[in-house]
Amino acid sequence: MSEDHTHVQEFFGARAADWDRKFPGDGPAFTTAVTEFGLRPGDRVLDAGCGTGRAMTALRSAVGPSGTVLGVDLTPQMLAAARRAGRDAEGTLLLADVARLPLRDEALDAVFAAGLIAHLPDPAANLRELARVVRPGGGLALFHPIGRAALAARHGRELTPQDMRAEHNLGPLLTGSGWNMVSYADDDDRFLALAVRRP
């Protein structure tokens, strides 16, 4: 699915209207992940591949009224669903590609990315682009509301040692892309890898 943007847009565009109804119980997992991410009031945070904006309320709560929340997604229908859900009240929604963000260097304090990494066409380069827009010492959260094994089972496949999100693969991928992984959790009910932008 990650090889071409048109396919990603078609896949998610066709599912956007029903996305939140399909996964109604994910809200608490998003809130917990954002809490563990450790954002502070006033922080500038990007929700990369924000989809229907399910993280935006928790992100706004974490950074407060003085902070900045920006949601970026490649799929217009997902952003339309986010607006219908009122999540544009929590921050700015922008149609853009995370591979070429329209942001200056070190503009942000943090990036939250839910379910994004599996859909990146060039994970190393795309993670470098996320690092470009985050200040040194800023954070990255790679999140999914269910763990790798549960997600594989949902899609009718088995986990392999080559899975990019496996700790032994993800750590070096992040290191080579400007990040240091500082924590890794892969449980049935969530996946959360936290990293810090290297100087």
Side-chain angles (χ1 to χ4, degrees):
M1 184 181 314
S2 62
E3 293 173 3
D4 126 25
H5 286 161
T6 302
H7 187 78
V8 170
Q9 287 176 316
E10 288 174 354
F11 179 88
F12 286 104
R15 291 159 176 80
D18 294 321
W19 193 260
D20 287 357
R21 284 192 294 275
K22 188 173 179 181
F23 305 107
D26 287 350
F30 275 83
T31 300
T32 299
V34 169
T35 299
E36 290 185 31
F37 193 17
L39 296 167
R40 297 169 303 210
D43 275 353
R44 301 156 297 167
V45 61
L46 170 67
D47 186 356
C50 67
T52 62
R54 293 184 295 168
M56 292 192 64
T57 299
L59 293 171
R60 170 56 64 197
S61 179
V63 303
S66 64
T68 299
V69 178
L70 176 63
V72 167
D73 203 273
L74 187 64
T75 306
Q77 296 94 324
M78 282 288 192
L79 294 175
R83 290 186 183 96
R84 283 194 301 275
R87 293 174 181 141
D88 53 339
E90 309 295 352
T92 301
L93 295 171
L94 180 65
L95 181 66
D97 184 352
V98 298
R100 291 180 301 279
L101 290 165
L103 299 170
R104 71 181 191 280
D105 293 356
E106 301 181 13
L108 303 171
D109 298 295
V111 173
F112 184 88
L116 175 70
I117 193 167
H119 304 291
L120 296 175
D122 184 345
N126 303 150
L127 288 167
R128 280 194 296 275
E129 173 66 357
L130 294 180
R132 179 188 68 79
V133 300
V134 173
R135 63 169 175 78
L140 170 67
L142 300 175
F143 168 71
H144 200 284
I146 60 174
R148 292 186 311 121
L151 184 62
R154 177 186 285 174
H155 294 297
R157 60 177 176 78
E158 292 187 7
L159 286 178
T160 69
Q162 291 76 36
D163 186 335
M164 175 177 31
R165 289 160 293 187
E167 187 172 9
H168 65 270
N169 295 326
L170 185 59
L173 175 63
L174 287 165
T175 299
S177 304
W179 303 94
N180 287 329
M181 190 161 68
V182 295
S183 70
Y184 181 93
D186 181 20
D187 307 313
D188 284 346
D189 59 351
R190 63 91 180 253
F191 174 91
L192 182 62
L194 300 181
V196 172
R197 168 75 159 84
R198 293 209 314 272

